[in-house]
């Protein structure tokens, strides 16, 4: 582990709703990586959702309320880091919600400047690549849209995955094409979403990888759900699980709980 | 053209099951994106040109009135006339009037989406003037009584067999599925029409203020015959097509061809500058430009102004996964794909078009390829805001959002609700790690399993750990 000599960097973890509820391991893996990189991680209790459901439905009133709450919750942290390009991308949209004379605009800009998706934070901001992890298998990487196009996340996860001993990356065709999740899109336009995710799982299967990896749980739940329904034998994991050496838990949608552990 | 946008979802469902359409869409996806990518790769300054083009368009839109008036002055100097039309109806009447002055029986037409927008063909037919489409794709559609499903490849939804069928039926020739034979047939039929037409109508890709010229970029050359042979040439163009100079136009032409078809340059780029002068070898005796506003000037100065930068290259739809899945007709009006999802609500009203700007995952691919950097997802979201402000969003959506926001703005309560939902799903999923059918989430579980939460929420677990550490 690389112990940095300098004072620890104070990071507020933006948990994200999906990690909180569906896969806490993703948040724990993020904490572990941040700590390995010399950060002091806290989890502000006043956070909830980034506000995307309201923002993308045109409900700016509620988007603003949630934006203000998030801005306040993370005041005082040097950085805000989360395991999702989509949610962190939403934090980057906050300034658009306030007009220029509104003092919240400044505060939103300040949050935006400090908000990072985990792989981009490690690579672009900290220059960290001392990954200590082992994973045996072939992987393929899905570039989630918001991370890719709003935050420029493409090489960062690949660069870090290259440090994972044993992981062999095989790019699939159309890795950058949307998986069809799109938040409420996947239920509002279920047929179209289904076509898009089917295309995706098809490409993933063609890559011959045994694990599909990505940086956004929304997409991962969507693709994992489809792969399970199709009966395909491909595991799905969040990139931080591989980077933090936390792959002994079942992959997404594959859990088989220990009988001894209460639900 | 009938407005079918309110039926977007049904149309999409049918389109997804239409094997022929899916085959045709497969050809589109296999063609355009790859060609664009290699054209862009061959041009290192492409992105810099996009920035220039965006800035130049912004400048033009700030001074749209000035450039249009300058354009008009030059057209008049060149002996032509400019007609300003606020609505589709104005434009149709103006065009019919010109045709009547010429006693026109038939008019040939080059490819033009604006004439689709103003529903010109039906109108002319109703008033005794026969329009003849001369672009091959448009010609096929006219034979079939069909409409374009794409702004530059109007018949992209058809396969060779459909064309062969239509020709056989209308040309009364033996059926052939040899593209060369079909092409020759179309050429023969159209040649007669070119010679007989009283009026030629074309669109315009650009209007040049400096010279009063209009330009069409085509790959078939049909536009040239349409505008040179008849005595009268009518250019129908929307107002945002104006550019200051020929030099400026060339910037857009470089971007247009590469973004559209991956060509370095479109095959025919034809300028029309007024009436035929005494020593000209050809050209029309009468030159008219019909400028169509149709809601565009209302977009100037609003959050939708950026849409007016559009040069109609089609890259956004060629790369759109939703367009690629359902095709252009599903959108239910003239302009499909991402650009249509922004323009259509402006032209037919958000009330009828609300499903279009919602039919996007905001994946951002369209904005990534747009040569004039139109932030299409952002503009679609602005339409969702309008929809929400006008209380047009479905009740279930509004209530759902309201309820969700109630919790999301109360962290303690949110935490409690998440923990409850997590527990509920874990109980449903049992030990399988996934749910095959989830109440109220049919949109999801009809097509895929729902992975279940792996344990207590992160917040629960984190707090438990913090407590334990404190106790230690
Ligand atoms: S919006 Fe952009 S990509 Fe789409 S047609 Fe217009 S210029 Fe082309």
């Amino acid at each position: 582990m690389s112990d940095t000599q300098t004072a620890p960097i104070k990071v507020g973890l933006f948990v994200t709703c999906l990690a909180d509820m569906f896969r806490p391991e993703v948040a724990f893996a993020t904490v572990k990586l941040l700590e390995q990189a010399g950060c002091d991680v806290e989890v502000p209790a006043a956070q909830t959702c980034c506000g995307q459901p309201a923002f993308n439905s045109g409900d700016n009133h509620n988007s603003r309320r949630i934006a203000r709450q998030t801005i306040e919750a993370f005041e005082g942290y040097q950085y805000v880091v989360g395991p999702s390009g989509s949610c962190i991308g939403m934090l980057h949209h906050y300034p658009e919600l306030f007009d220029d004379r509104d003092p919240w605009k400044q505060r939103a800009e300040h949050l935006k400047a400090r908000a990072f998706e985990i792989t981009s934070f490690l690579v672009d901001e900290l220059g960290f690549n001392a990954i200590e992890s082992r994973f045996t298998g072939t992987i393929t990487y899905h570039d989630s849209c918001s991370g890719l196009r709003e935050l420029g996340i493409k090489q960062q996860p690949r660069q870090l995955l290259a440090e994972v001993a044993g992981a062999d990356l095989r790019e699939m065709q159309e890795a950058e094409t949307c998986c069809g999740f799109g938040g409420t899109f996947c239920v509002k336009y279920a047929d179209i979403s289904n076509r898009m995710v089917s295309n995706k799982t098809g490409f993933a299967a063609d890559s011959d990888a045994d694990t599909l990896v990505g940086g956004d749980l929304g997409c991962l739940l969507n693709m994992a759900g489809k792969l399970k329904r199709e009966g395909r034998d491909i595991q799905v994991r969040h990139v931080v699980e591989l980077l933090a050496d936390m792959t002994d838990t079942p992959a997404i949608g594959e859990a088989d709980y220990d009988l001894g552990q209460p639900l | 053209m009938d407005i079918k946008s309110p039926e977007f979802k049904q149309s999409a469902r049918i389109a997804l099951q239409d094997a022929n359409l899916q085959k045709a869409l497969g050809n589109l996806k296999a063609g355009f994106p790859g060609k664009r990518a290699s054209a862009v790769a061959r041009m290192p300054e492409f992105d810099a040109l996009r920035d220039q083009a965006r800035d130049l368009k912004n400048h033009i839109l700030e001074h749209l009135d000035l450039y249009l008036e300058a354009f008009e002055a030059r057209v008049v100097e060149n002996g032509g006339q400019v007609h300003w039309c606020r609505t589709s109806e104005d434009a149709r009447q103006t065009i019919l009037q010109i045709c009547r002055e010429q006693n026109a029986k038939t008019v040939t037409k080059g490819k033009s989406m604006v004439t689709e927008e103003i529903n010109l063909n039906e109108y002319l037919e109703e008033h005794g003037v026969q329009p003849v489409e001369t672009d091959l794709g448009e010609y096929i559609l006219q034979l079939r009584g069909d409409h374009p499903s794409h702004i530059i490849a109007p018949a992209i939804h058809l396969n060779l067999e459909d064309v062969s069928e239509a020709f056989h039926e209308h040309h009364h020739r033996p059926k052939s599925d040899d593209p060369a034979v079909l092409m020759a047939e179309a050429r023969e039929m159209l040649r007669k029409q070119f010679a007989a037409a009283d009026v030629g109508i074309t669109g315009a890709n650009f209007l040049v203020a400096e010279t009063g010229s209009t330009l069409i970029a085509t790959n078939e050359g049909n536009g040239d015959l349409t505008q040179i042979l008849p005595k009268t040439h009518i250019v129908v163009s929307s107002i945002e097509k104006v550019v200051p100079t020929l030099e400026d136009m060339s910037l857009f032409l470089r971007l247009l061809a590469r973004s559209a078809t991956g060509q370095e340059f479109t095959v025919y780029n034809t300028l029309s500058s007024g009436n035929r002068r005494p020593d000209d070898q050809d050209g029309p005796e009468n030159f008219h430009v019909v400028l169509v506003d149709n809601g565009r000037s209302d977009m100037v100065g609003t959050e939708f102004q950026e849409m007016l930068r559009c040069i109609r290259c089609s890259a956004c739809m060629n790369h759109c996964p939703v367009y690629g899945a359902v095709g252009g007709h599903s959108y239910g009006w003239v302009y499909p794909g991402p650009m249509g999802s922004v323009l259509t609500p402006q032209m037919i009203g958000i009330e009828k078009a609300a499903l279009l700007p919602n039919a996007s995952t905001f994946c951002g691919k369209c904005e990534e390829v747009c040569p004039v950097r139109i932030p299409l997802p952002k503009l679609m979201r602005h339409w969702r805001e309008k929809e929400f402000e006008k209380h047009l969003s479905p009740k279930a959506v509004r209530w759902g959002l309201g309820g969700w926001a109630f919790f999301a703005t109360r962290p303690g309560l949110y935490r409690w609700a998440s923990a409850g939902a997590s527990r509920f799903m874990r109980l449903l999923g049992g030990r399988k790690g996934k749910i095959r059918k989830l109440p109220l989430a049919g949109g999801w579980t009809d097509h895929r399993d729902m992975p279940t939460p792996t344990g207590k929420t992160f917040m629960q677990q984190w707090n438990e750990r913090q407590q334990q550490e404190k106790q230690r």
Side-chain angles (χ1 to χ4, degrees), chain B residues 151 307 310-316 339 370-372 374 376:
Chain B
I151 61 171
M307 191 60 222
C310 177
I311 57 172
R312 302 290 188 272
C313 72
S314 81
C316 55
M339 56 83 78
C370 176
V372 284
I374 299 175
L376 292 150

Side-chain angles (χ1 to χ4, degrees), chain A residues 7 20 40 50 75 90 103-104 122 131 137 142 168 185 189 192-193 211 213 215 227 230 236 239:
Chain A
D20 182 41
D40 183 6
C50 64
E75 211 94 295
M90 180 63 218
W104 282 98
L122 294 176
I131 296 297
H142 165 68
D168 170 20
F185 174 88
Y189 296 85
I192 303 174
S193 174
T211 304
V213 183
L227 287 163
E230 291 172 334
V236 180
V239 62

Side-chain angles (χ1 to χ4, degrees), chain B residues 49 52-53 56 60 206-211 213 215 243-255 265 271:
Chain B
L49 293 183
Q52 273 183 37
L56 179 55
I60 295 167
F206 300 99
L207 310 171
V208 187
E210 172 188 40
T211 57
S213 313
L215 175 122
V243 298
T245 66
L246 288 169
E247 186 83 31
D248 297 328
M249 182 184 74
S250 67
L251 164 66
F252 292 113
L253 287 176
R254 297 171 79 191
L255 289 167
F265 223 59
L271 284 157

Side-chain angles (χ1 to χ4, degrees), chain B residues 349-363:
Chain B
I350 183 67
E351 292 77 6
K352 288 188 191 138
L355 287 174
L356 307 185
N358 279 290
S360 165
T361 61
F362 287 160
C363 78

